[in-house]
Amino acid sequence: MKSPRTVVIAGIAALAMVGSLAACSADASSDSGKLELRVATFPPGADQAAYDAFAEQEAQFEKANPDIDVVGLEYEWTAPTFAAQLAGGSLPDVFTVPFTDSKTLLENGQLMDVTKEIDDLGYSDKFNPIILNEVTGSDGKLYGFPRQAYANGLHYNRDLFEQAGLDPDSPPTTWDEVREDAKVIAEKTGKAGYATMAAGNTGGWQLSVQADSRGASLQTDNGDGTYTSTIDNDATKATLEYLHDLRWEDNAMGSTFDLDWGSINQEFAAGNIGMYTSGSDVYTALVRDFGMSPDVYGLTVIPTEDGGGVLGGGDIAVMPPTLDADTKAAAVKWIDWYYMQKLLNEDAAVTDAKALAASDQAVGTPVLPVLDKDTWDQQQEWIAPYVNVPQDQMTGFFDGIFEQTPVGEFKGQTQPIYALMDNLVQAVLTDQNADIDALLEQVDVDAQALLDE
């Protein structure tokens, strides 16, 4: 078995000419005479088991494609460094970007058109149309392969539920029940019954999650490339009032109000938080990176009301637009084989699940399927013998997710506006007398200024 070679992709201090990337892409042959395909694998710091699993998959692909030499690169998407990496030629030939950034890259012409390739593969009509929209440009063409998605869910600590006298097999199904259970957990255990992210743009993200679940529309697409901010609405206000009351009336949110994605996961894994909302796929990180015991984990769907839906996200497998034809063809083969066939083909699904399980990686983590429900159900049957996550502790999510309406993230200035919305969450959690109406009025003004730039 060949171990993957890893190269850390670092930021580049100054922009180089884009022509240098074209020159680099044109020379894609390795010393062996094979076409060298540079593919993103894991962010720096991934554990050895993840690389062992990749090494086995790499060997399988190269056996089936002996003219391609796959080179695994450590890579972590960051929007601020992307342009420099694109101009300097240091991007992998295949990498992934989150849905929230895909539209900007499409508008800037920074992704490869793969419409014909997806059509030729024969499964473009199997994609969830809402998810396919994330890779569709204004010209109607496709610029990537949606490879994984998640729906936000309500994560809960089964041990804290039991300590509080609550049934961990009957998690709350409404926001009122979440509040009631959070108050009981706080009173009985001294831990935060409920917590929310509030920093690093994640506060805005999770504020969107709750507002969307109450029927909010946070931004209007005007259809001409412009957007109108509509954060100031009844559902967003109701969400901020809800968080305010959990914090100040119920004293159910602990004492830390600057949590981001990493720190809230750490606190939850350590048993200090009863419930929080985040992507449904976070189980793997909780166990692998934050040391949570699988026995204490529970997951159910986010409550929805007043026509609300569940905010989702995910990422797409893409290529830079300057690849030569041979490298593009090899990249499409890799994406189809590595990301897509395990969703569509029994042999590929079983091979992937076996490799992950043998390397002690999670199999069966709850996700929002990128393909139709029938295709997903079939794939779940194929991998069932290798599932190693406690799906019986996630039945609330599995039973309810297909009954919920998926909602995509707003597209205009997503991350900068999330940063503005962080301030709303922090304000209501740290100032008992925060003027929610005034805060919402101002955030719409500030968000619109960003959209008008």
Side-chain angles (χ1 to χ4, degrees), residues 260-280:
D260 59 11
W261 186 87
S263 55
I264 202 169
N265 289 337
Q266 183 63 60
E267 288 298 299
F268 181 75
N272 296 324
I273 293 173
M275 292 176 283
Y276 77 117
T277 57
S278 186
S280 59

Side-chain angles (χ1 to χ4, degrees), residues 231-363:
I231 300 169
D232 185 359
N233 60 66
D234 290 343
T236 311
K237 180 178 179 180
T239 298
L240 292 170
E241 290 174 339
Y242 180 84
L243 294 173
H244 174 277
D245 293 347
L246 271 170
R247 161 71 171 101
W248 297 103
E249 293 185 11
D250 302 342
N251 193 28
M253 295 189 70
S255 58
T256 304
F257 307 113
D258 59 352
L259 297 169
D260 59 11
W261 186 87
S263 55
I264 202 169
N265 289 337
Q266 183 63 60
E267 288 298 299
F268 181 75
N272 296 324
I273 293 173
M275 292 176 283
Y276 77 117
T277 57
S278 186
S280 59
D281 58 348
V282 77
Y283 169 86
T284 301
L286 288 169
V287 174
R288 183 187 66 199
D289 303 329
F290 298 99
M292 185 193 72
S293 168
D295 294 340
V296 308
Y297 179 76
L299 174 67
T300 190
V301 290
I302 286 176
T304 58
E305 56 191 47
D306 297 328
V310 56
L311 183 65
D315 61 45
I316 60 177
V318 297
M319 295 167 271
T322 48
L323 294 187
D324 62 86
D326 289 342
T327 306
K328 178 184 180 182
V332 170
K333 282 186 178 181
W334 172 259
I335 292 171
D336 178 59
W337 185 89
Y338 187 64
Y339 293 122
M340 304 307 302
Q341 284 304 307
K342 63 186 176 185
L343 307 177
L344 295 156
N345 177 275
E346 181 174 6
D347 289 341
V350 170
T351 298
D352 178 73
K354 287 175 68 174
L356 291 173
S359 299
D360 207 22
Q361 299 296 293
V363 178

Side-chain angles (χ1 to χ4, degrees), residues 415-430:
Q415 294 299 331
I417 291 176
Y418 278 165
L420 293 176
M421 294 170 68
D422 278 357
N423 300 325
L424 298 176
V425 179
Q426 291 171 7
V428 299
L429 297 183
T430 59

Side-chain angles (χ1 to χ4, degrees), residues 6-222:
T6 58
V7 180
V8 177
I9 304 298
I12 301 173
L15 290 176
M17 295 185 66
V18 175
S20 66
L21 177 59
C24 178
S25 296
D27 183 15
S29 296
S30 68
D31 293 341
S32 64
K34 299 179 180 181
L35 186 146
E36 183 176 277
L37 185 68
R38 302 160 65 248
V39 304
T41 53
F42 307 100
D47 62 11
Q48 186 58 45
Y51 283 103
D52 290 344
F54 179 83
E56 182 172 340
Q57 293 164 319
E58 176 190 14
Q60 292 167 357
F61 178 82
E62 291 182 348
K63 183 177 180 180
N65 299 274
D67 58 335
I68 300 174
D69 178 21
V70 174
V71 179
L73 307 178
E74 287 186 353
Y75 177 77
E76 188 166 25
W77 160 263
T78 61
T81 61
F82 172 78
Q85 292 168 349
L86 175 63
S90 64
L91 283 172
D93 300 322
V94 176
F95 57 100
T96 61
V97 296
F99 289 169
T100 48
D101 295 294
S102 61
K103 289 297 184 183
T104 300
L105 301 185
L106 292 180
E107 292 167 1
N108 293 340
Q110 294 172 319
L111 298 177
M112 177 73 78
D113 176 4
V114 291
T115 309
K116 182 180 184 301
E117 287 75 13
I118 292 179
D119 287 343
D120 288 347
L121 287 166
Y123 48 74
S124 56
D125 61 345
K126 286 185 174 290
F127 284 109
N128 179 329
I130 293 175
I131 291 175
L132 194 65
N133 180 60
E134 303 296 338
V135 299
T136 304
S138 58
D139 56 5
K141 295 181 178 179
L142 305 178
Y143 289 87
F145 292 70
R147 65 112 185 175
Q148 69 174 8
Y150 64 84
N152 276 272
L154 180 67
H155 308 263
Y156 64 97
N157 185 301
R158 295 174 62 86
D159 272 3
L160 291 181
F161 264 62
E162 290 180 348
Q163 292 173 33
L166 302 170
D167 183 358
D169 293 324
S170 298
T173 59
T174 68
W175 284 118
D176 286 342
E177 290 177 0
V178 170
R179 183 178 175 185
E180 293 168 6
D181 288 356
K183 186 175 181 180
V184 172
I185 290 169
E187 290 174 347
K188 298 287 188 179
T189 71
K191 306 291 187 179
Y194 184 88
T196 190
M197 302 177 211
N201 302 5
T202 63
W205 172 43
Q206 288 304 308
L207 176 56
S208 295
V209 168
Q210 277 213 37
D212 286 338
S213 78
R214 292 177 166 90
S217 174
L218 302 177
Q219 192 176 94
T220 299
D221 185 341
N222 299 320

